[in-house]
Amino acid sequence: MSALQAPKGTYDMLPDAAERRDGIVRTAARVFAAHGYRRIVTPEFEDTALFERGVGEATDIVRKEMYTFADKGDRLLTLRPEGTAPVCRAYVEHGLHKLPQPVKLWYHAPMFRYEKPQSGRYREHYQLGVEALGSPEPTVDVEVIAVLAAIFAELGIADLRLAVNSMGDRACRPAYVALLRDYLRGREQELCGDCRERLELNPLRTFDCKVETCRAVLDEAPRIVDHLCDDCRDHFDRVLGLLASLDLQPEVDYRLVRGLDYYTRTTFEFSCDRLGAQSGVGGGGRYDGLVEQIGGPPTPGVGWGSGLERITLAMGDASPAPYRVDAYVACFDDAARDRAFLLAESVRRECPAAVELDLLGRSPKGQLKQASRLGAAAVVFVGLSELPADMVRVRLLGSGEELDVPADGAAAWLCERLERGL
Ligand SMILES: [Zn+2]
Ligand SMILES: [Zn+2]
């Protein structure tokens, strides 16, 4: 029988990678806290209908990429493919619209999409995200962007570009979409089959097309930023002005559109040149129609998502700090093994030190080698023949100093020395 492997498009995080990941999330959590965002955790699966309504039945995500199944009670459920719809669902379900607005939330969670695995893209991938619900102010758009920029800065990610666009709103977008459709119909012969379909269903989605001839046609297409109503224009100008004041150097990118009705006004994306073709490291936008779309009261909202795999790639190959322990308990006498174990456990209870001990019955030499491999600052010897049974010897590896201390006070003594830096 062949050995089993992790499913296609998933990955294991071994301890070095998991610790690096934890560090990224801790850094992000500090930035979130500084900006007043609080963590929310929603279920790994939801009713399929939430994503059909909250992501859009016409999207690739809903049509092709969801992990959907019926449970034993014949409920149609889907593993969460994205974070925004579940957060909006929770916002409505728990009446968060009655709290002082905006409600500012962040999440760190796995997302599931059945797509072709490629560099930094997985079928189960982890995402950081924020959603700020309840304020239409352009300052909130800029705040969420500033939060993401601050996380990247804290993580030392450089070479970033920030693209922004405005999608207009219900007042001005329909006229623009009609204008775009007319323009594309005039050049339909130059479009790929997909884009000819999109041109009827949702012409905005032609901006996503990677086909060269389509891109050439769209380069000359009318741009939505030239067709905004006064309110949308004012909103966009304030966003651009504030981003510039924060030195975030926004570049207006007319291709940055989201083809769903509930996206409004600001869209944005950070990309990192060192990542090559798939250079996006995080993006989002304003979705003033979404909460209403999933059955809540009309509620403005803006947010972003950023894949942790992409963040890790953008950070480059930082070699992880080696795993270290503070103290190692060595035992050179089989009869004293339980005492050694209990001493290690009492140090762990006494202070937040990392303590390891021999759990394999290694030779004395093997134990010392293991202690130095683990970078222990102190080794405690239990069961030395030259000492009375109620005494242990502590060797401080930095100075080479050795002291004999009573076994029952050893934990407190060691913790006190570790606290002082030995
Ligand atoms: Zn096309
Ligand atoms: Zn408008």
Side-chain angles (χ1 to χ4, degrees):
M1 208 164 29
S2 61
L4 290 168
Q5 297 184 333
K8 183 172 179 180
T10 68
Y11 62 93
D12 297 308
M13 260 183 286
L14 300 181
D16 280 351
E19 282 166 15
R20 191 175 184 213
R21 176 66 59 82
D22 287 345
I24 295 172
V25 176
R26 274 197 301 275
T27 298
R30 281 198 301 273
V31 175
F32 292 135
H35 289 82
Y37 287 72
R38 298 180 67 199
R39 188 169 183 206
I40 183 167
V41 180
T42 62
E44 309 293 279
F45 54 84
E46 298 266 0
D47 284 338
T48 302
L50 172 67
F51 301 113
E52 287 171 350
R53 279 203 258 166
V55 179
E57 288 185 84
T59 59
D60 281 356
I61 295 181
V62 171
R63 283 171 49 231
K64 305 179 199 160
E65 297 174 356
M66 296 204 306
Y67 281 92
T68 295
F69 58 98
D71 72 3
K72 291 184 200 301
D74 269 337
R75 296 169 196 89
L76 201 56
L77 301 169
T78 294
L79 298 184
R80 174 183 46 210
E82 63 92 47
T84 305
V87 170
C88 290
R89 195 249 330 123
Y91 174 87
V92 175
E93 182 170 338
H94 301 286
L96 303 186
H97 54 280
K98 294 174 197 138
L99 299 177
Q101 305 291 302
V103 172
K104 305 199 296 186
L105 304 165
W106 71 272
Y107 58 80
H108 165 227
M111 306 290 162
F112 304 87
R113 286 191 201 177
Y114 190 81
E115 57 184 343
K116 195 164 164 268
Q118 47 188 314
S119 171
R121 304 225 180 247
Y122 297 88
R123 291 182 175 175
E124 179 189 34
H125 84 282
Y126 292 79
Q127 215 175 78
L128 276 177
V130 306
E131 314 296 346
L133 292 153
S135 168
E137 283 292 304
T139 42
V140 187
D141 306 37
V142 176
E143 183 179 87
V144 299
I145 296 172
V147 167
L148 187 51
I151 291 170
F152 290 147
E154 291 280 321
L155 294 173
I157 298 175
D159 307 322
L160 286 169
R161 281 176 295 117
L162 170 61
V164 293
N165 195 17
S166 174
M167 302 283 304
D169 62 2
R170 287 173 197 173
C172 55
R173 189 165 47 207
Y176 167 75
V177 170
L179 189 71
L180 178 66
R181 183 177 280 131
D182 282 348
Y183 166 82
L184 292 172
R185 278 188 182 137
R187 300 186 64 171
E188 199 170 343
Q189 298 312 314
E190 300 164 64
L191 298 176
C192 73
D194 283 346
C195 283
R196 282 182 213 176
E197 241 174 74
R198 289 171 183 148
L199 131 71
E200 298 307 329
L201 293 171
N202 188 346
L204 288 173
R205 292 202 50 222
T206 55
F207 284 106
D208 296 334
C209 189
K210 302 280 185 276
V211 176
E212 218 34 68
T213 48
C214 297
R215 290 177 75 97
V217 170
L218 287 155
D219 267 343
E220 294 163 19
R223 297 179 180 185
I224 192 162
V225 290
D226 299 324
H227 298 273
L228 298 174
C229 65
D230 288 347
D231 286 348
C232 288
R233 183 75 243 172
D234 180 56
H235 188 100
F236 193 43
D237 286 343
R238 284 184 61 199
V239 167
L240 290 176
L242 284 168
L243 290 172
S245 301
L246 292 174
D247 276 334
L248 292 174
Q249 295 158 351
E251 299 162 22
V252 177
D253 180 355
Y254 68 92
R255 289 183 186 276
L256 203 57
V257 298
R258 298 193 170 225
L260 297 171
D261 286 345
Y262 51 76
Y263 284 109
T264 50
R265 297 188 170 167
T266 314
T267 54
F268 65 93
E269 183 171 62
F270 282 93
S271 53
C272 178
D273 289 335
R274 75 155 64 146
L275 294 186
Q278 296 277 339
S279 62
V281 280
R286 183 165 273 286
Y287 46 82
D288 289 349
L290 177 55
V291 173
E292 207 175 347
Q293 183 117 359
I294 62 168
T299 307
V302 57
W304 53 256
S306 175
L308 279 151
E309 297 81 8
R310 312 291 302 165
I311 291 177
T312 306
L313 282 175
M315 287 170 70
D317 296 324
S319 49
Y323 175 67
R324 299 180 76 90
V325 301
D326 297 306
Y328 187 90
V329 179
C331 176
F332 292 177
D333 171 8
D334 273 348
R337 287 171 66 80
D338 285 359
R339 277 195 282 130
F341 171 77
L342 292 173
L343 175 62
E345 197 55 25
S346 65
V347 179
R348 293 161 175 161
R349 286 183 183 187
E350 184 84 24
C351 64
V355 183
E356 261 303 356
L357 73 158
D358 176 49
L359 296 170
L360 269 181
R362 287 184 179 85
S363 68
K365 202 174 146 201
Q367 292 185 50
L368 289 176
K369 207 165 144 193
Q370 178 66 356
S372 97
R373 195 183 292 139
L374 290 170
V379 180
V380 184
F381 297 89
V382 178
L384 286 182
S385 54
E386 66 262 37
L387 285 183
D390 59 352
M391 295 290 282
V392 298
R393 177 163 297 161
V394 183
R395 182 186 295 166
L396 306 178
L397 294 185
S399 60
E401 190 186 346
E402 281 193 346
L403 298 108
D404 295 339
V405 298
D408 45 350
W413 182 88
L414 188 61
C415 288
E416 200 259 328
R417 290 296 298 254
L418 283 169
E419 209 161 285
R420 285 198 278 132
L422 298 170

